[in-house]
């Protein structure tokens, strides 16, 4: 069964995290759409997004076009790679925060890794009552990301951080730790959406460890 996954790239995104998942999901026969998100200080609409390490990617869609299309139907999964200021740019987009909430309410898969679980997902409230992981120590700044300590306590009620693991999958939310865990995270993404047999085929076919 083919799923549609939207991957959101904002200036300063972590390239290895974004493209490893895009690559493995496409190897698994999934429909992956990359979507450009503007810099927080810019209204420029462009499909070219530069990553945190100077690698530019041409996305399949710009955010406005994706938003217009998704009014009819939500994708099966969304993914927010980390990187700075990429995660900060994503979190500043209120449309994306609303989208995350709609996805969660619909039982669809929400995925994020590195800085994005702490900076983006925390703001949406979808981590409440869930186990999750992120780049080390970023969970210590939730008051900043959620605008206040009181708001962070409300949005993150009942959540718990799991440290020193490549990823955590709790119900329909998948979170990952950082660039060095991109392959393991991406393969869990594949397993969730495409199943064990397809995940094994991708694993063996790409000569993974």
């Amino acid at each position: 069964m083919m799923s549609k996954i939207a991957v959101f790239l904002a200036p300063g995104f972590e390239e290895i995290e974004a493209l490893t998942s895009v690559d493995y999901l496409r190897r698994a026969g999934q429909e992956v759409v990359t979507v450009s998100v503007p810099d927080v200080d810019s209204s420029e609409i462009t499909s070219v997004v530069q990553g945190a390490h100077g690698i530019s990617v041409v996305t399949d869609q710009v955010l406005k076009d994706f938003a217009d299309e998704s009014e009819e139907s939500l994708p099966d999964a969304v993914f927010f790679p980390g990187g700075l200021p990429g995660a900060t740019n994503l979190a500043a987009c209120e449309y994306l925060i609303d989208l995350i909430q709609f996805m969660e309410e619909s039982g669809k898969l929400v995925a994020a890794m590195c800085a994005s679980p702490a900076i983006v997902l925390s703001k949406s409230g979808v981590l409440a009552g869930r186990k999750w992981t992120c780049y080390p120590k970023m969970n210590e700044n939730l008051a900043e990301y959620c605008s206040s300590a009181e708001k962070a306590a409300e949005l993150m009620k009942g959540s718990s951080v799991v440290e020193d693991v490549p990823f955590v999958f709790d119900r329909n939310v998948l979170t990952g730790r950082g660039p060095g865990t991109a392959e393991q995270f991406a393969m869990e993404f594949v397993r969730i959406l495409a199943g064990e047999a397809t995940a094994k085929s991708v694993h063996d076919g790409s000569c993974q460890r």
Side-chain angles (χ1 to χ4, degrees):
M1 179 177 175
M2 181 186 293
S3 297
K4 181 177 180 178
I5 305 99
V7 178
F8 296 94
L9 306 181
F13 72 93
E14 183 65 60
E15 297 97 332
I16 192 171
E17 295 171 1
L19 298 181
T20 301
S21 284
V22 170
D23 182 288
Y24 282 169
L25 286 165
R26 286 183 173 169
R27 288 174 191 253
Q30 306 305 294
E31 180 186 355
V32 182
V33 177
T34 54
V35 183
S36 65
V37 178
D39 184 290
V40 65
D41 296 318
S42 174
S43 59
E44 181 183 11
I45 298 175
T46 175
S47 60
V48 180
V49 187
Q50 186 174 82
H53 301 92
I55 301 172
S56 293
V57 171
V58 180
T59 60
D60 300 310
Q61 286 187 308
V62 297
L63 183 62
K64 182 182 182 302
D65 292 342
F66 172 84
D68 289 343
E69 287 186 11
S70 64
E71 286 184 2
E72 299 297 323
S73 62
L74 293 172
D76 300 293
V78 290
F79 173 41
F80 305 92
L84 292 173
T88 303
N89 287 323
L90 293 174
C93 179
E94 290 302 325
Y95 167 80
L96 293 180
I97 302 304
D98 290 343
L99 176 63
I100 292 167
Q101 294 167 344
F102 289 141
M103 293 288 292
E104 197 275 338
E105 291 166 4
S106 301
K108 294 176 180 288
L109 181 62
V110 175
M113 70 182 307
C114 193
S116 283
I119 295 179
V120 183
L121 297 194
S122 68
K123 188 177 176 181
S124 74
V126 301
L127 295 179
R130 287 184 168 87
K131 294 179 180 179
W132 61 288
T133 193
C134 66
Y135 193 82
K137 306 295 185 182
M138 295 210 72
N139 56 295
E140 297 176 1
N141 300 318
L142 294 175
E144 174 188 346
Y145 308 141
C146 296
S147 75
S148 71
E150 292 76 15
K151 195 66 175 176
E154 174 190 339
L155 292 171
M156 300 295 288
K157 185 177 181 180
S159 72
S160 58
V161 176
V162 183
E163 299 180 350
D164 300 323
V165 294
F167 60 81
V168 172
F169 180 48
D170 191 338
R171 286 171 282 167
N172 58 317
V173 176
L174 173 65
T175 52
R177 190 161 183 247
T181 67
E183 182 175 78
Q184 292 157 290
F185 175 91
M187 288 306 300
E188 179 66 4
F189 213 156
V190 168
R191 186 193 68 77
I192 293 166
L193 293 177
E196 296 285 356
T198 298
K200 184 178 187 309
S201 176
V202 172
H203 175 280
D204 295 348
S206 54
C207 299
Q208 293 179 37
R209 294 184 296 274

